[in-house]
Amino acid sequence: DPMLDGLTSPQPLMDTLSSMLLPGLLVLWAGGALFFFGLSLWRQHDFMRTVKREAVTVSPRLQRISEQVGQQVGLKRMPVIASSFIASGPLVTGLVRLVVMLPAWFETDYDDTQQRAALAHELTHVRRGDLWALQAAEFFLACMWFNPLAYFAHRAFRTDQEAACDADVLKTGTASPHAYGATLIKA
């Protein structure tokens, strides 16, 4: 009986649904991944434009200290050292054109030991290639945009990255643990 065949065989309906659903989900995932990764790249590009516009060259004294600290941490090539009011604390940014951005009040507010410790931290990020690792993490986060656990993992990755950088700075001996801790609190 043709009526009974249609009732006992739901397989064609399932095949039709899965053939439509799977490509749809793939398009949704890929669209979300492209959107979130593109958003990350756009934010980085926009921030770098702001850095370029607002950056001010540091004093020769601070440039000299930066080069000394760069040699201590093992840098082969120095990034641009600049200061600006957009930075509330020392930070490093950029993938191709690396910039260590210091707050405008860095020379007056931080003493010599704190300046060396803060520079050692940022220059260690540069030596370790942390910005490239962070960009790879952004790519993986974009691929997992739908998973709330990916955002927690990303935050844990950043925390671990900072802790590893701190451990490397303390290994180089550019600052005592006490002075380095005081600098981190200040920054």
Side-chain angles (χ1 to χ4, degrees), residues 50-97:
T50 303
V51 165
K52 188 175 182 179
R53 183 181 64 242
E54 300 291 328
V56 176
T57 307
V58 296
S59 70
R61 177 193 157 281
L62 197 52
Q63 185 65 40
R64 195 170 43 255
I65 290 172
S66 300
E67 290 168 4
Q68 291 169 354
V69 172
Q71 287 175 347
Q72 278 183 305
V73 300
L75 271 185
K76 291 177 175 56
R77 198 176 96 186
M78 280 296 290
V80 173
I81 309 294
S83 68
S84 175
F85 285 106
I86 64 169
S88 60
L91 62 95
V92 64
T93 189
L95 291 173
V96 179
R97 182 179 175 257

Tab-separated table of all heavy atoms in Angstrom, residues 50-97:
chain	number	residue	atom	x	y	z
A	50	THR	N	44.716	55.680	16.132
A	50	THR	CA	44.709	56.589	17.282
A	50	THR	C	46.099	56.699	17.883
A	50	THR	O	46.551	57.799	18.209
A	50	THR	CB	43.705	56.103	18.346
A	50	THR	OG1	42.417	55.994	17.746
A	50	THR	CG2	43.645	57.046	19.528
A	51	VAL	N	46.786	55.574	18.020
A	51	VAL	CA	48.151	55.579	18.552
A	51	VAL	C	49.054	56.431	17.676
A	51	VAL	O	49.818	57.267	18.168
A	51	VAL	CB	48.708	54.135	18.682
A	51	VAL	CG1	50.211	54.126	18.885
A	51	VAL	CG2	48.001	53.409	19.814
A	52	LYS	N	48.964	56.244	16.373
A	52	LYS	CA	49.803	57.011	15.443
A	52	LYS	C	49.522	58.509	15.546
A	52	LYS	O	50.433	59.327	15.516
A	52	LYS	CB	49.574	56.521	14.020
A	52	LYS	CG	50.517	57.103	13.012
A	52	LYS	CD	50.307	56.491	11.643
A	52	LYS	CE	51.298	57.063	10.655
A	52	LYS	NZ	51.151	56.484	9.340
A	53	ARG	N	48.260	58.847	15.709
A	53	ARG	CA	47.866	60.256	15.780
A	53	ARG	C	48.274	60.894	17.111
A	53	ARG	O	48.689	62.042	17.151
A	53	ARG	CB	46.352	60.363	15.587
A	53	ARG	CG	45.819	61.769	15.556
A	53	ARG	CD	44.308	61.833	15.377
A	53	ARG	NE	43.609	61.235	16.505
A	53	ARG	CZ	42.813	60.176	16.420
A	53	ARG	NH1	42.605	59.578	15.271
A	53	ARG	NH2	42.209	59.703	17.486
A	54	GLU	N	48.174	60.151	18.215
A	54	GLU	CA	48.373	60.717	19.549
A	54	GLU	C	49.768	60.509	20.130
A	54	GLU	O	50.089	61.096	21.157
A	54	GLU	CB	47.349	60.110	20.513
A	54	GLU	CG	45.906	60.369	20.138
A	54	GLU	CD	45.518	61.826	20.287
A	54	GLU	OE1	46.053	62.508	21.177
A	54	GLU	OE2	44.671	62.289	19.500
A	55	ALA	N	50.597	59.682	19.520
A	55	ALA	CA	51.908	59.343	20.090
A	55	ALA	C	52.860	60.533	20.053
A	55	ALA	O	52.914	61.268	19.082
A	55	ALA	CB	52.519	58.170	19.333
A	56	VAL	N	53.608	60.666	21.148
A	56	VAL	CA	54.622	61.704	21.279
A	56	VAL	C	55.950	61.012	21.585
A	56	VAL	O	56.003	60.078	22.383
A	56	VAL	CB	54.267	62.683	22.429
A	56	VAL	CG1	55.355	63.712	22.642
A	56	VAL	CG2	52.927	63.346	22.171
A	57	THR	N	57.006	61.455	20.953
A	57	THR	CA	58.327	60.876	21.185
A	57	THR	C	58.744	61.089	22.633
A	57	THR	O	58.530	62.169	23.187
A	57	THR	CB	59.363	61.522	20.240
A	57	THR	OG1	58.873	61.414	18.903
A	57	THR	CG2	60.705	60.840	20.346
A	58	VAL	N	59.354	60.078	23.237
A	58	VAL	CA	59.818	60.197	24.615
A	58	VAL	C	61.151	60.943	24.653
A	58	VAL	O	61.805	61.126	23.630
A	58	VAL	CB	59.961	58.806	25.284
A	58	VAL	CG1	58.608	58.126	25.387
A	58	VAL	CG2	60.955	57.935	24.572
A	59	SER	N	61.557	61.321	25.851
A	59	SER	CA	62.805	62.063	26.017
A	59	SER	C	64.001	61.169	25.660
A	59	SER	O	63.912	59.932	25.728
A	59	SER	CB	62.945	62.540	27.462
A	59	SER	OG	63.186	61.435	28.314
A	60	PRO	N	65.134	61.774	25.319
A	60	PRO	CA	66.336	60.973	25.037
A	60	PRO	C	66.745	60.089	26.224
A	60	PRO	O	67.201	58.972	26.034
A	60	PRO	CB	67.408	62.019	24.729
A	60	PRO	CG	66.650	63.221	24.277
A	60	PRO	CD	65.353	63.195	25.035
A	61	ARG	N	66.553	60.593	27.439
A	61	ARG	CA	66.881	59.807	28.631
A	61	ARG	C	66.037	58.532	28.688
A	61	ARG	O	66.553	57.434	28.900
A	61	ARG	CB	66.644	60.659	29.882
A	61	ARG	CG	66.883	59.919	31.187
A	61	ARG	CD	66.327	60.733	32.392
A	61	ARG	NE	66.055	59.881	33.505
A	61	ARG	CZ	64.971	59.107	33.649
A	61	ARG	NH1	64.052	59.080	32.719
A	61	ARG	NH2	64.814	58.348	34.710
A	62	LEU	N	64.737	58.663	28.469
A	62	LEU	CA	63.843	57.499	28.510
A	62	LEU	C	64.109	56.562	27.332
A	62	LEU	O	64.028	55.337	27.477
A	62	LEU	CB	62.386	57.958	28.522
A	62	LEU	CG	61.356	56.940	28.957
A	62	LEU	CD1	61.708	56.294	30.287
A	62	LEU	CD2	59.993	57.583	29.044
A	63	GLN	N	64.455	57.102	26.194
A	63	GLN	CA	64.816	56.271	25.043
A	63	GLN	C	66.065	55.448	25.353
A	63	GLN	O	66.138	54.259	25.043
A	63	GLN	CB	65.041	57.152	23.799
A	63	GLN	CG	65.298	56.381	22.534
A	63	GLN	CD	64.116	55.543	22.095
A	63	GLN	OE1	62.964	55.962	22.184
A	63	GLN	NE2	64.371	54.343	21.616
A	64	ARG	N	67.046	56.069	25.996
A	64	ARG	CA	68.287	55.381	26.375
A	64	ARG	C	68.000	54.258	27.386
A	64	ARG	O	68.504	53.146	27.250
A	64	ARG	CB	69.275	56.410	26.947
A	64	ARG	CG	70.682	55.955	27.060
A	64	ARG	CD	71.665	57.084	27.415
A	64	ARG	NE	71.198	57.992	28.458
A	64	ARG	CZ	70.746	59.236	28.259
A	64	ARG	NH1	70.683	59.730	27.048
A	64	ARG	NH2	70.339	59.981	29.268
A	65	ILE	N	67.147	54.551	28.381
A	65	ILE	CA	66.762	53.525	29.361
A	65	ILE	C	66.056	52.372	28.646
A	65	ILE	O	66.314	51.192	28.934
A	65	ILE	CB	65.867	54.124	30.464
A	65	ILE	CG1	66.678	55.056	31.357
A	65	ILE	CG2	65.214	53.034	31.296
A	65	ILE	CD1	65.833	55.837	32.352
A	66	SER	N	65.183	52.692	27.709
A	66	SER	CA	64.450	51.662	26.960
A	66	SER	C	65.414	50.754	26.204
A	66	SER	O	65.241	49.529	26.185
A	66	SER	CB	63.480	52.301	25.979
A	66	SER	OG	62.550	53.096	26.646
A	67	GLU	N	66.409	51.331	25.577
A	67	GLU	CA	67.386	50.528	24.832
A	67	GLU	C	68.203	49.639	25.766
A	67	GLU	O	68.483	48.482	25.439
A	67	GLU	CB	68.283	51.444	24.004
A	67	GLU	CG	67.539	52.074	22.843
A	67	GLU	CD	68.295	53.205	22.171
A	67	GLU	OE1	69.462	53.471	22.556
A	67	GLU	OE2	67.713	53.821	21.257
A	68	GLN	N	68.571	50.162	26.938
A	68	GLN	CA	69.302	49.348	27.910
A	68	GLN	C	68.447	48.178	28.385
A	68	GLN	O	68.919	47.041	28.454
A	68	GLN	CB	69.728	50.209	29.110
A	68	GLN	CG	70.788	51.222	28.805
A	68	GLN	CD	70.979	52.216	29.957
A	68	GLN	OE1	70.233	52.211	30.941
A	68	GLN	NE2	71.979	53.083	29.821
A	69	VAL	N	67.205	48.459	28.717
A	69	VAL	CA	66.297	47.402	29.183
A	69	VAL	C	66.039	46.403	28.050
A	69	VAL	O	65.982	45.191	28.281
A	69	VAL	CB	64.983	48.009	29.727
A	69	VAL	CG1	63.969	46.925	30.032
A	69	VAL	CG2	65.259	48.836	30.975
A	70	GLY	N	65.901	46.895	26.823
A	70	GLY	CA	65.715	46.011	25.676
A	70	GLY	C	66.863	45.041	25.518
A	70	GLY	O	66.661	43.849	25.221
A	71	GLN	N	68.094	45.504	25.729
A	71	GLN	CA	69.253	44.614	25.668
A	71	GLN	C	69.208	43.602	26.804
A	71	GLN	O	69.527	42.424	26.610
A	71	GLN	CB	70.550	45.423	25.727
A	71	GLN	CG	70.842	46.180	24.460
A	71	GLN	CD	72.069	47.070	24.602
A	71	GLN	OE1	72.574	47.312	25.694
A	71	GLN	NE2	72.550	47.572	23.467
A	72	GLN	N	68.792	44.049	28.005
A	72	GLN	CA	68.717	43.140	29.152
A	72	GLN	C	67.722	42.013	28.930
A	72	GLN	O	67.967	40.884	29.339
A	72	GLN	CB	68.318	43.909	30.416
A	72	GLN	CG	69.451	44.617	31.099
A	72	GLN	CD	68.965	45.284	32.369
A	72	GLN	OE1	68.023	46.071	32.348
A	72	GLN	NE2	69.602	44.952	33.478
A	73	VAL	N	66.598	42.315	28.316
A	73	VAL	CA	65.579	41.276	28.113
A	73	VAL	C	65.823	40.453	26.858
A	73	VAL	O	65.134	39.474	26.610
A	73	VAL	CB	64.136	41.845	28.116
A	73	VAL	CG1	63.816	42.509	29.423
A	73	VAL	CG2	63.882	42.756	26.951
A	74	GLY	N	66.822	40.861	26.042
A	74	GLY	CA	67.196	40.065	24.878
A	74	GLY	C	66.505	40.434	23.581
A	74	GLY	O	66.348	39.583	22.704
A	75	LEU	N	66.105	41.685	23.436
A	75	LEU	CA	65.479	42.119	22.189
A	75	LEU	C	66.518	42.297	21.092
A	75	LEU	O	67.591	42.842	21.335
A	75	LEU	CB	64.769	43.452	22.379
A	75	LEU	CG	63.332	43.427	22.830
A	75	LEU	CD1	62.764	44.833	22.853
A	75	LEU	CD2	62.471	42.556	21.978
A	76	LYS	N	66.173	41.860	19.911
A	76	LYS	CA	67.048	42.056	18.760
A	76	LYS	C	66.749	43.386	18.064
A	76	LYS	O	67.631	44.019	17.530
A	76	LYS	CB	66.893	40.901	17.777
A	76	LYS	CG	67.436	39.592	18.319
A	76	LYS	CD	67.182	38.475	17.323
A	76	LYS	CE	67.784	37.162	17.708
A	76	LYS	NZ	67.448	36.611	18.960
A	77	ARG	N	65.479	43.777	18.057
A	77	ARG	CA	65.063	45.012	17.403
A	77	ARG	C	64.109	45.777	18.323
A	77	ARG	O	63.115	45.222	18.802
A	77	ARG	CB	64.363	44.672	16.095
A	77	ARG	CG	64.262	45.837	15.142
A	77	ARG	CD	63.660	45.402	13.853
A	77	ARG	NE	62.223	45.707	13.946
A	77	ARG	CZ	61.353	45.364	13.043
A	77	ARG	NH1	61.706	44.674	12.005
A	77	ARG	NH2	60.100	45.689	13.187
A	78	MET	N	64.408	47.033	18.555
A	78	MET	CA	63.595	47.851	19.462
A	78	MET	C	62.317	48.332	18.777
A	78	MET	O	62.353	48.766	17.631
A	78	MET	CB	64.381	49.084	19.914
A	78	MET	CG	65.368	48.822	21.029
A	78	MET	SD	64.577	48.307	22.563
A	78	MET	CE	63.765	49.811	23.061
A	79	PRO	N	61.204	48.268	19.495
A	79	PRO	CA	59.980	48.876	18.975
A	79	PRO	C	60.033	50.393	19.181
A	79	PRO	O	60.937	50.914	19.831
A	79	PRO	CB	58.888	48.247	19.846
A	79	PRO	CG	59.576	47.943	21.123
A	79	PRO	CD	60.999	47.600	20.762
A	80	VAL	N	59.063	51.078	18.655
A	80	VAL	CA	58.940	52.514	18.878
A	80	VAL	C	58.508	52.717	20.332
A	80	VAL	O	57.608	52.031	20.813
A	80	VAL	CB	57.887	53.119	17.920
A	80	VAL	CG1	57.615	54.570	18.247
A	80	VAL	CG2	58.317	52.941	16.481
A	81	ILE	N	59.160	53.637	21.017
A	81	ILE	CA	58.780	53.984	22.391
A	81	ILE	C	58.135	55.366	22.317
A	81	ILE	O	58.740	56.316	21.832
A	81	ILE	CB	60.001	54.026	23.335
A	81	ILE	CG1	60.842	52.751	23.233
A	81	ILE	CG2	59.555	54.281	24.771
A	81	ILE	CD1	60.165	51.499	23.722
A	82	ALA	N	56.894	55.470	22.777
A	82	ALA	CA	56.170	56.732	22.695
A	82	ALA	C	55.347	56.926	23.961
A	82	ALA	O	55.164	55.992	24.746
A	82	ALA	CB	55.262	56.734	21.470
A	83	SER	N	54.873	58.138	24.141
A	83	SER	CA	53.981	58.411	25.271
A	83	SER	C	52.742	59.130	24.745
A	83	SER	O	52.758	59.704	23.660
A	83	SER	CB	54.686	59.251	26.335
A	83	SER	OG	54.936	60.545	25.851
A	84	SER	N	51.690	59.071	25.551
A	84	SER	CA	50.440	59.689	25.128
A	84	SER	C	49.478	59.747	26.303
A	84	SER	O	49.618	59.004	27.275
A	84	SER	CB	49.810	58.875	23.999
A	84	SER	OG	48.555	59.393	23.676
A	85	PHE	N	48.482	60.606	26.171
A	85	PHE	CA	47.423	60.676	27.175
A	85	PHE	C	46.395	59.563	26.991
A	85	PHE	O	45.547	59.367	27.852
A	85	PHE	CB	46.720	62.042	27.121
A	85	PHE	CG	47.548	63.145	27.715
A	85	PHE	CD1	48.164	64.074	26.899
A	85	PHE	CD2	47.721	63.240	29.086
A	85	PHE	CE1	48.932	65.085	27.455
A	85	PHE	CE2	48.488	64.241	29.643
A	85	PHE	CZ	49.101	65.165	28.826
A	86	ILE	N	46.449	58.828	25.876
A	86	ILE	CA	45.469	57.744	25.674
A	86	ILE	C	45.817	56.510	26.498
A	86	ILE	O	44.977	55.647	26.693
A	86	ILE	CB	45.329	57.348	24.189
A	86	ILE	CG1	46.617	56.763	23.638
A	86	ILE	CG2	44.834	58.501	23.356
A	86	ILE	CD1	46.468	56.122	22.275
A	87	ALA	N	47.065	56.420	26.981
A	87	ALA	CA	47.492	55.259	27.759
A	87	ALA	C	47.374	55.570	29.247
A	87	ALA	O	47.967	56.529	29.734
A	87	ALA	CB	48.930	54.894	27.411
A	88	SER	N	46.611	54.766	29.975
A	88	SER	CA	46.516	54.959	31.426
A	88	SER	C	47.636	54.220	32.141
A	88	SER	O	47.927	54.490	33.293
A	88	SER	CB	45.159	54.486	31.936
A	88	SER	OG	44.989	53.121	31.639
A	89	GLY	N	48.265	53.298	31.448
A	89	GLY	CA	49.412	52.556	31.966
A	89	GLY	C	50.241	52.095	30.784
A	89	GLY	O	49.795	52.182	29.635
A	90	PRO	N	51.441	51.599	31.035
A	90	PRO	CA	52.271	51.125	29.925
A	90	PRO	C	51.586	49.972	29.179
A	90	PRO	O	50.935	49.127	29.786
A	90	PRO	CB	53.552	50.637	30.614
A	90	PRO	CG	53.555	51.302	31.939
A	90	PRO	CD	52.124	51.483	32.324
A	91	LEU	N	51.729	49.966	27.860
A	91	LEU	CA	51.173	48.884	27.048
A	91	LEU	C	51.980	48.757	25.772
A	91	LEU	O	52.692	49.668	25.380
A	91	LEU	CB	49.694	49.141	26.720
A	91	LEU	CG	49.349	50.380	25.892
A	91	LEU	CD1	49.248	50.021	24.418
A	91	LEU	CD2	48.032	50.948	26.368
A	92	VAL	N	51.870	47.605	25.148
A	92	VAL	CA	52.501	47.390	23.844
A	92	VAL	C	51.396	47.025	22.861
A	92	VAL	O	50.443	46.324	23.208
A	92	VAL	CB	53.611	46.314	23.905
A	92	VAL	CG1	53.068	44.958	24.268
A	92	VAL	CG2	54.398	46.244	22.617
A	93	THR	N	51.503	47.538	21.644
A	93	THR	CA	50.477	47.292	20.643
A	93	THR	C	51.114	47.207	19.263
A	93	THR	O	52.268	47.594	19.081
A	93	THR	CB	49.380	48.382	20.679
A	93	THR	OG1	48.306	47.997	19.835
A	93	THR	CG2	49.927	49.736	20.267
A	94	GLY	N	50.349	46.725	18.316
A	94	GLY	CA	50.820	46.608	16.941
A	94	GLY	C	51.355	45.223	16.654
A	94	GLY	O	51.865	44.549	17.536
A	95	LEU	N	51.222	44.802	15.417
A	95	LEU	CA	51.777	43.521	15.002
A	95	LEU	C	52.979	43.728	14.094
A	95	LEU	O	54.004	43.072	14.250
A	95	LEU	CB	50.718	42.681	14.276
A	95	LEU	CG	49.590	42.156	15.145
A	95	LEU	CD1	48.519	41.501	14.282
A	95	LEU	CD2	50.110	41.187	16.172
A	96	VAL	N	52.858	44.622	13.157
A	96	VAL	CA	53.937	44.882	12.211
A	96	VAL	C	54.826	46.008	12.736
A	96	VAL	O	56.040	45.882	12.806
A	96	VAL	CB	53.370	45.242	10.822
A	96	VAL	CG1	54.484	45.545	9.849
A	96	VAL	CG2	52.492	44.111	10.304
A	97	ARG	N	54.200	47.100	13.125
A	97	ARG	CA	54.925	48.249	13.673
A	97	ARG	C	54.637	48.286	15.169
A	97	ARG	O	53.659	48.872	15.613
A	97	ARG	CB	54.449	49.533	13.000
A	97	ARG	CG	55.166	50.759	13.472
A	97	ARG	CD	54.639	52.003	12.739
A	97	ARG	NE	55.244	53.182	13.283
A	97	ARG	CZ	54.643	54.016	14.124
A	97	ARG	NH1	53.415	53.783	14.521
A	97	ARG	NH2	55.272	55.079	14.564
